[in-house]
Amino acid sequence: MKLSQSTVLLSVALCASGVKAFSPRPYPVSTAAQKLQRYTPIKADVEAIEDDEDFPDIDSPPADDYIVNVGDLEGEDEEGVGEEDDGELPAWALSQQRMKDLREKYRRHDKDTGSPEFQVAGMTERIAYLTKHLQTHPKDYSTRRGLVALVNKRRRLLNYLFKEDVERYKALVASLGVRHKAPGNVESREEKYSRFPKQKATKKHLVKK
């Protein structure tokens, strides 16, 4: 294939100018779009900002109201720790105090931590606190499960105390106001079913003579 002289000269001139002869033409962009794409920095009036009194000064230190030194917190009185806005202790703190007083009242000696009286006294206060909590939050099922387990454990301790010493059991139940049914002896088969009428008459040939 022979090319004309004018075509060869045109290709050489385009290569010399850095333009590819066979590259596609770029998409034409309008002059208005080119002006919009240019970056135009916004000029701020520095003098007006410096004169404005409401603008915060970065170099100046913060106000004294926001500064808290380490030594300021160490000397504060700790009596108000855990108190509510009205100055009263929360319900859980009052319950802990009552539990401590009951345990000191019903323990056998100063180092007693495992007697039935000591344990039942603490459980009774804990049961009263959880019952009041469930009245406010009836859908707290995990607390309800723990309350049932605590009541069952207290019942077993009272059963044990009844078998060991009836007088101590009666004094503890009367003092704490616990509703508890004392365990009875296991009934025999005749005692258990004697209150029910007999269903069938005894046959004559089975009666012992």
Side-chain angles (χ1 to χ4, degrees), residues 164-177:
E164 293 294 322
D165 193 342
V166 179
E167 297 299 328
R168 284 166 49 198
Y169 163 79
K170 291 181 179 179
L172 181 63
V173 170
S175 179
L176 292 175

Side-chain angles (χ1 to χ4, degrees), residues 52-88:
D52 191 2
E53 296 179 356
D54 298 334
F55 189 76
D57 190 4
I58 300 175
D59 298 332
S60 61
D64 296 338
D65 297 339
Y66 300 98
I67 297 176
V68 179
N69 298 324
V70 178
D72 296 343
L73 299 177
E74 294 179 354
E76 293 184 355
D77 191 6
E78 298 181 355
E79 293 181 358
V81 176
E83 295 184 358
E84 296 181 350
D85 296 338
D86 54 357
E88 297 180 359

Side-chain angles (χ1 to χ4, degrees), residues 43-141:
K43 295 181 180 180
D45 192 358
V46 181
E47 296 179 357
I49 294 175
E50 292 178 354
D51 296 338
D52 191 2
E53 296 179 356
D54 298 334
F55 189 76
D57 190 4
I58 300 175
D59 298 332
S60 61
D64 296 338
D65 297 339
Y66 300 98
I67 297 176
V68 179
N69 298 324
V70 178
D72 296 343
L73 299 177
E74 294 179 354
E76 293 184 355
D77 191 6
E78 298 181 355
E79 293 181 358
V81 176
E83 295 184 358
E84 296 181 350
D85 296 338
D86 54 357
E88 297 180 359
L89 292 175
W92 61 267
L94 295 174
S95 176
Q96 292 291 332
Q97 185 64 34
R98 289 193 299 268
M99 187 185 301
K100 182 179 178 181
D101 297 339
L102 284 174
R103 286 175 173 175
E104 291 179 355
K105 179 181 177 182
Y106 290 98
R107 64 185 179 182
R108 297 184 185 178
H109 49 82
D110 294 340
K111 296 183 179 180
D112 180 19
T113 57
S115 63
E117 293 91 339
F118 182 89
Q119 297 185 58
V120 169
M123 289 179 185
T124 302
E125 173 57 34
R126 184 64 178 167
I127 288 170
Y129 173 76
L130 293 179
T131 303
K132 187 177 180 181
H133 171 80
L134 284 174
Q135 291 175 355
T136 309
H137 308 281
K139 292 189 178 182
D140 192 354
Y141 298 109

